[in-house]
Amino acid sequence: MTVKTIAIDAMGGDHAPQAIIEGVNQALAEFSDFDVILYGDEDKIKPHLTATERVSIVHTTEKIFSEDEPVKAIRKKKNASMVLAAQAVKEGKADAMLSAGNSGALLAAGVFIVGRIKGIDRPGFLSTLPTVDGQGFDMMDLGANAENTARHLDQYATLGSFYAKHVRGLAKPRVGLLNNGTESSKGAPLQQDAFGLLSENPDIHFIGNIEARELLNGVADVVVTDGFTGNAVLKTMEGTGATILSSLKTAILNGGWKAKLGALLLKDSLKGLQAQMDYSNFGGAVLFGLKAPVVKSHGSSQAKDIYTTINQIRRMLEADVVAKSIEAFSHKEK
């Protein structure tokens, strides 16, 4: 068994370093095929660290804050925990990195330090999102880029297919282009041009245009869109889910004894539904298109989210999905 090393920005996120370290503790206790290098303030990390083996700390008090300008922060804060973690990946000291910190800064660190795969114009964020059947779907780009070209979307389709096939184990992932209708003529020039490229892409199983209302029904295994639209869809899904749960809770509390009795009888089913539709169960957002796995966990991540994201990175490393992507795009460039 080959032991891989994951570099972790221990100071990124709303609940760092405690939530980060507690998630690391859980993952180290369950899985034996990886080591961890934690980057951050040792005095703040150690009180939460219960793991004593396969983990080391690189001390630094410098960190990147959520309000920092991303590119400027990466260039000026050379000893920031996020920058040092990315540098470790570049230098081969670590095989992958995880951060719950500033998304823009992580994108800059990924592109400028870790580096892009040759043939990828712009890396994008890929996440696995929930469906009603529990299988989920991979969507890209979820906000790494405000604007994209049809060529970018074609590249995302290939990357997303690789992820779905090698990490999620789908033999022939169905790729759909998010659009305002299913007809091939639908959409703005971006979508129309992308449709043409995707139709001719031999590396994917393209099923055509799909509409946003069908996403949660599992209409496709991989969904490609521009970063602006993808981020809007993601936040709409998050907000809608939270609103429905909040409204249901209010209805139960204000519905008298019959509503409370019904809720008690349905307690297990409601918990199961909540877990099934919880996107955090699938891990973090992969900054796909880089020379190594770089994964962004949600800024509000708790220990469970960090644990799940570490497991996701383990599966990416085991599947060697980045190396397979590099090989595929090297052929495309020839």
Side-chain angles (χ1 to χ4, degrees), residues 311-326:
N311 189 27
Q312 174 191 16
I313 293 173
R314 285 181 58 253
R315 289 185 282 114
M316 287 186 69
L317 292 171
E318 183 180 2
D320 207 14
V321 67
V322 170
K324 290 170 182 173
S325 301
I326 291 172

Side-chain angles (χ1 to χ4, degrees), residues 76-296:
K76 288 191 172 182
K77 295 186 173 183
K78 300 293 186 183
N79 291 314
S81 51
M82 181 189 293
V83 174
L84 292 178
Q87 196 67 38
V89 175
K90 178 183 179 179
E91 296 171 357
K93 297 175 183 176
D95 301 289
M97 78 166 284
L98 183 161
S99 176
N102 184 314
S103 298
L106 185 62
L107 173 61
V111 172
F112 296 126
I113 300 176
V114 177
R116 291 181 293 114
I117 293 174
K118 186 178 181 181
I120 297 295
D121 297 333
R122 289 189 186 178
F125 278 123
L126 175 148
S127 283
T128 304
L129 302 174
T131 54
V132 292
D133 61 4
Q135 296 301 308
F137 67 95
D138 299 314
M139 190 168 180
M140 186 177 184
D141 175 26
L142 292 177
N145 307 283
E147 296 181 2
N148 289 108
T149 66
R151 175 180 160 94
H152 298 157
L153 268 57
D154 186 43
Q155 293 172 359
Y156 296 161
T158 301
L159 289 171
S161 292
F162 265 77
Y163 188 89
K165 186 179 296 184
H166 298 295
V167 179
R168 298 181 58 222
L170 303 181
K172 192 177 182 181
R174 300 162 298 153
V175 178
L177 174 64
L178 189 63
N179 211 331
N180 63 343
T182 58
E183 299 89 346
S184 60
S185 60
K186 284 287 188 176
L190 170 63
Q191 286 75 28
Q192 292 177 9
D193 291 346
F195 188 97
L197 291 177
L198 295 171
S199 299
E200 298 172 0
N201 188 334
D203 298 321
I204 66 171
H205 173 44
F206 182 52
I207 61 170
N209 290 324
I210 58 173
E211 296 183 272
R213 64 182 177 183
E214 297 296 333
L215 291 177
L216 297 183
N217 293 328
V219 65
D221 303 305
V222 177
V223 177
V224 293
T225 187
D226 62 280
F228 184 90
T229 303
N231 191 261
V233 168
L234 174 65
K235 289 178 178 176
T236 299
M237 289 175 62
E238 291 176 350
T240 301
T243 300
I244 290 174
L245 289 174
S246 177
S247 299
L248 182 59
K249 183 177 180 180
T250 300
I252 291 170
L253 291 174
N254 297 335
W257 69 269
K258 289 183 179 180
K260 292 181 176 65
L261 178 60
L264 182 63
L265 294 173
L266 291 171
K267 183 178 179 181
D268 291 341
S269 297
L270 291 173
K271 280 187 176 180
L273 177 62
Q274 183 179 11
Q276 180 180 314
M277 300 305 293
D278 185 357
Y279 67 93
S280 67
N281 287 329
F282 293 100
V286 180
L287 185 52
F288 220 172
L290 300 177
K291 294 178 180 178
V294 173
V295 183
K296 169 74 170 68

